[in-house]
Short mmCIF file of all heavy atoms in Angstrom, two decimals:
data_model
loop_
_atom_site.label_atom_id
_atom_site.label_comp_id
_atom_site.label_asym_id
_atom_site.label_seq_id
_atom_site.Cartn_x
_atom_site.Cartn_y
_atom_site.Cartn_z
N LYS A 74 9.63 1.19 10.30
CA LYS A 74 10.66 1.98 10.84
C LYS A 74 11.88 2.10 9.97
O LYS A 74 12.81 2.91 10.21
CB LYS A 74 11.04 1.58 12.20
CG LYS A 74 10.09 2.00 13.30
CD LYS A 74 10.62 1.56 14.68
CE LYS A 74 9.83 2.13 15.77
NZ LYS A 74 10.27 1.70 17.12
N ALA A 75 12.02 1.19 8.98
CA ALA A 75 13.29 1.06 8.16
C ALA A 75 13.67 2.37 7.60
O ALA A 75 14.81 2.86 7.66
CB ALA A 75 13.14 0.02 7.15
N ASN A 76 12.74 3.06 6.87
CA ASN A 76 13.08 4.37 6.17
C ASN A 76 11.82 5.01 5.81
O ASN A 76 10.69 4.45 6.02
CB ASN A 76 14.03 4.18 5.03
CG ASN A 76 13.56 3.10 4.02
OD1 ASN A 76 12.33 3.11 3.68
ND2 ASN A 76 14.43 2.25 3.59
N LYS A 77 11.84 6.17 5.21
CA LYS A 77 10.57 6.86 4.85
C LYS A 77 9.77 6.08 3.81
O LYS A 77 8.56 6.10 3.85
CB LYS A 77 10.81 8.29 4.43
CG LYS A 77 11.44 8.49 3.04
CD LYS A 77 11.42 9.92 2.55
CE LYS A 77 11.96 9.97 1.12
NZ LYS A 77 11.90 11.32 0.61
N GLU A 78 10.49 5.50 2.85
CA GLU A 78 9.86 4.72 1.82
C GLU A 78 9.05 3.54 2.40
O GLU A 78 7.93 3.19 1.97
CB GLU A 78 10.80 4.23 0.75
CG GLU A 78 11.28 5.28 -0.24
CD GLU A 78 12.33 6.22 0.42
OE1 GLU A 78 12.92 5.84 1.45
OE2 GLU A 78 12.54 7.35 -0.15
N ALA A 79 9.66 2.90 3.40
CA ALA A 79 8.95 1.73 4.05
C ALA A 79 7.74 2.17 4.73
O ALA A 79 6.75 1.45 4.75
CB ALA A 79 9.92 1.09 5.04
N TYR A 80 7.77 3.38 5.37
CA TYR A 80 6.64 3.84 6.15
C TYR A 80 5.57 4.39 5.16
O TYR A 80 4.33 4.08 5.28
CB TYR A 80 7.03 4.95 7.10
CG TYR A 80 5.94 5.37 7.99
CD1 TYR A 80 5.77 4.80 9.20
CD2 TYR A 80 5.06 6.37 7.65
CE1 TYR A 80 4.72 5.17 10.08
CE2 TYR A 80 4.00 6.77 8.50
CZ TYR A 80 3.93 6.20 9.72
OH TYR A 80 2.84 6.54 10.60
N LEU A 81 5.95 5.20 4.20
CA LEU A 81 4.95 5.92 3.36
C LEU A 81 4.56 5.14 2.17
O LEU A 81 3.40 5.34 1.70
CB LEU A 81 5.51 7.32 2.97
CG LEU A 81 5.89 8.29 4.09
CD1 LEU A 81 6.58 9.53 3.45
CD2 LEU A 81 4.67 8.64 4.88
N LEU A 82 5.37 4.20 1.70
CA LEU A 82 5.05 3.52 0.41
C LEU A 82 5.18 1.99 0.61
O LEU A 82 5.15 1.23 -0.40
CB LEU A 82 6.00 3.91 -0.68
CG LEU A 82 6.03 5.39 -1.10
CD1 LEU A 82 7.08 5.76 -2.17
CD2 LEU A 82 4.63 5.95 -1.52
N GLY A 83 5.29 1.52 1.87
CA GLY A 83 5.49 0.05 2.04
C GLY A 83 6.77 -0.43 1.41
O GLY A 83 6.82 -1.74 1.11
N GLY A 84 7.72 0.37 1.17
CA GLY A 84 8.97 -0.04 0.58
C GLY A 84 8.85 -0.44 -0.86
O GLY A 84 9.75 -1.10 -1.43
N ASN A 85 7.77 -0.16 -1.56
CA ASN A 85 7.51 -0.45 -2.97
C ASN A 85 7.67 -2.07 -3.13
O ASN A 85 8.16 -2.47 -4.14
CB ASN A 85 8.40 0.29 -3.91
CG ASN A 85 8.14 1.75 -3.88
OD1 ASN A 85 8.97 2.54 -3.57
ND2 ASN A 85 6.99 2.10 -4.40
N THR A 86 7.15 -2.78 -2.12
CA THR A 86 7.28 -4.25 -2.26
C THR A 86 5.90 -4.94 -2.17
O THR A 86 5.81 -6.10 -2.33
CB THR A 86 8.11 -4.82 -1.04
OG1 THR A 86 7.50 -4.42 0.21
CG2 THR A 86 9.54 -4.21 -1.06
N LEU A 87 4.85 -4.11 -2.02
CA LEU A 87 3.52 -4.73 -1.93
C LEU A 87 2.96 -5.18 -3.21
O LEU A 87 3.09 -4.43 -4.25
CB LEU A 87 2.52 -3.69 -1.32
CG LEU A 87 2.88 -3.26 0.13
CD1 LEU A 87 2.12 -1.97 0.46
CD2 LEU A 87 2.66 -4.35 1.16
N PRO A 88 2.35 -6.33 -3.43
CA PRO A 88 1.89 -6.85 -4.65
C PRO A 88 0.64 -5.98 -5.19
O PRO A 88 -0.06 -5.43 -4.32
CB PRO A 88 1.45 -8.35 -4.34
CG PRO A 88 1.28 -8.33 -2.82
CD PRO A 88 2.13 -7.36 -2.28
N TRP A 89 0.47 -5.88 -6.47
CA TRP A 89 -0.47 -5.06 -7.07
C TRP A 89 -1.90 -5.45 -6.65
O TRP A 89 -2.73 -4.55 -6.50
CB TRP A 89 -0.31 -5.06 -8.63
CG TRP A 89 -0.51 -6.41 -9.30
CD1 TRP A 89 0.48 -7.28 -9.65
CD2 TRP A 89 -1.84 -6.94 -9.68
NE1 TRP A 89 -0.09 -8.36 -10.20
CE2 TRP A 89 -1.47 -8.18 -10.33
CE3 TRP A 89 -3.12 -6.54 -9.73
CZ2 TRP A 89 -2.43 -9.07 -10.87
CZ3 TRP A 89 -4.08 -7.35 -10.23
CH2 TRP A 89 -3.77 -8.58 -10.83
N TYR A 90 -2.14 -6.71 -6.46
CA TYR A 90 -3.52 -7.21 -6.11
C TYR A 90 -3.90 -6.78 -4.65
O TYR A 90 -5.02 -6.38 -4.33
CB TYR A 90 -3.72 -8.66 -6.33
CG TYR A 90 -2.65 -9.47 -5.71
CD1 TYR A 90 -2.69 -9.92 -4.39
CD2 TYR A 90 -1.53 -9.99 -6.48
CE1 TYR A 90 -1.73 -10.67 -3.88
CE2 TYR A 90 -0.55 -10.76 -5.98
CZ TYR A 90 -0.62 -11.12 -4.63
OH TYR A 90 0.47 -11.84 -4.07
N ALA A 91 -2.86 -6.81 -3.78
CA ALA A 91 -3.09 -6.27 -2.39
C ALA A 91 -3.33 -4.76 -2.44
O ALA A 91 -4.26 -4.34 -1.75
CB ALA A 91 -1.93 -6.66 -1.52
N LEU A 92 -2.58 -4.01 -3.22
CA LEU A 92 -2.79 -2.59 -3.28
C LEU A 92 -4.20 -2.31 -3.94
O LEU A 92 -4.82 -1.32 -3.53
CB LEU A 92 -1.67 -1.96 -4.15
CG LEU A 92 -0.30 -1.80 -3.44
CD1 LEU A 92 0.78 -1.42 -4.46
CD2 LEU A 92 -0.35 -0.76 -2.41
N GLY A 93 -4.49 -3.11 -4.93
CA GLY A 93 -5.90 -2.96 -5.58
C GLY A 93 -6.95 -3.12 -4.58
O GLY A 93 -7.92 -2.30 -4.53
N LEU A 94 -6.93 -4.20 -3.81
CA LEU A 94 -7.91 -4.49 -2.77
C LEU A 94 -7.93 -3.36 -1.69
O LEU A 94 -9.02 -2.96 -1.29
CB LEU A 94 -7.57 -5.90 -2.09
CG LEU A 94 -7.99 -7.14 -2.84
CD1 LEU A 94 -7.52 -8.34 -2.08
CD2 LEU A 94 -9.58 -7.22 -3.03
N SER A 95 -6.82 -2.89 -1.36
CA SER A 95 -6.70 -1.80 -0.35
C SER A 95 -7.33 -0.55 -0.88
O SER A 95 -8.01 0.09 -0.19
CB SER A 95 -5.19 -1.56 -0.07
OG SER A 95 -5.05 -0.48 0.77
N ASN A 96 -7.02 -0.26 -2.10
CA ASN A 96 -7.59 1.03 -2.72
C ASN A 96 -9.06 0.91 -2.85
O ASN A 96 -9.85 1.91 -2.63
CB ASN A 96 -6.94 1.25 -4.10
CG ASN A 96 -6.83 2.69 -4.47
OD1 ASN A 96 -6.94 3.56 -3.56
ND2 ASN A 96 -6.54 3.03 -5.71
N ALA A 97 -9.61 -0.35 -3.29
CA ALA A 97 -11.03 -0.52 -3.33
C ALA A 97 -11.62 -0.38 -2.00
O ALA A 97 -12.72 0.28 -1.72
CB ALA A 97 -11.26 -1.91 -3.93
N SER A 98 -10.98 -0.95 -0.94
CA SER A 98 -11.54 -0.92 0.39
C SER A 98 -11.50 0.58 0.89
O SER A 98 -12.55 0.97 1.54
CB SER A 98 -10.71 -1.72 1.36
OG SER A 98 -10.79 -3.06 1.08
N GLY A 99 -10.54 1.38 0.59
CA GLY A 99 -10.47 2.70 0.92
C GLY A 99 -11.63 3.59 0.33
O GLY A 99 -12.06 4.50 0.96
N MET A 100 -12.12 3.13 -0.88
CA MET A 100 -13.25 3.86 -1.49
C MET A 100 -14.56 3.36 -0.98
O MET A 100 -15.56 3.94 -1.29
CB MET A 100 -13.13 3.64 -3.04
CG MET A 100 -11.88 4.23 -3.62
SD MET A 100 -11.74 3.80 -5.33
CE MET A 100 -10.09 4.45 -5.77
N PHE A 101 -14.56 2.27 -0.27
CA PHE A 101 -15.83 1.68 0.27
C PHE A 101 -16.09 2.36 1.74
O PHE A 101 -16.23 1.62 2.62
CB PHE A 101 -15.62 0.19 0.41
CG PHE A 101 -16.90 -0.61 0.32
CD1 PHE A 101 -16.90 -1.86 -0.33
CD2 PHE A 101 -18.13 -0.14 0.78
CE1 PHE A 101 -18.02 -2.57 -0.45
CE2 PHE A 101 -19.25 -0.89 0.68
CZ PHE A 101 -19.19 -2.14 0.13
N ASP A 102 -16.21 3.65 1.70
CA ASP A 102 -16.32 4.33 3.03
C ASP A 102 -17.80 4.44 3.41
O ASP A 102 -18.75 4.30 2.61
CB ASP A 102 -15.75 5.76 2.87
CG ASP A 102 -16.53 6.62 1.86
OD1 ASP A 102 -16.65 6.24 0.74
OD2 ASP A 102 -17.02 7.60 2.33
#
């Protein structure tokens, strides 16, 4: 709820390996 970046982009604070795992999971449909 902090701002639009926090909602839409996670506040640009998420580590690259978590984003990579997330992107991989998103492709594992």
Side-chain angles (χ1 to χ4, degrees):
K74 280 183 172 180
N76 51 48
K77 73 168 185 176
E78 285 76 18
Y80 188 90
L81 300 175
L82 302 176
N85 293 115
T86 60
L87 297 164
W89 61 268
Y90 49 85
L92 284 166
L94 281 174
S95 173
N96 214 11
S98 295
M100 295 173 187
F101 208 143
D102 65 302

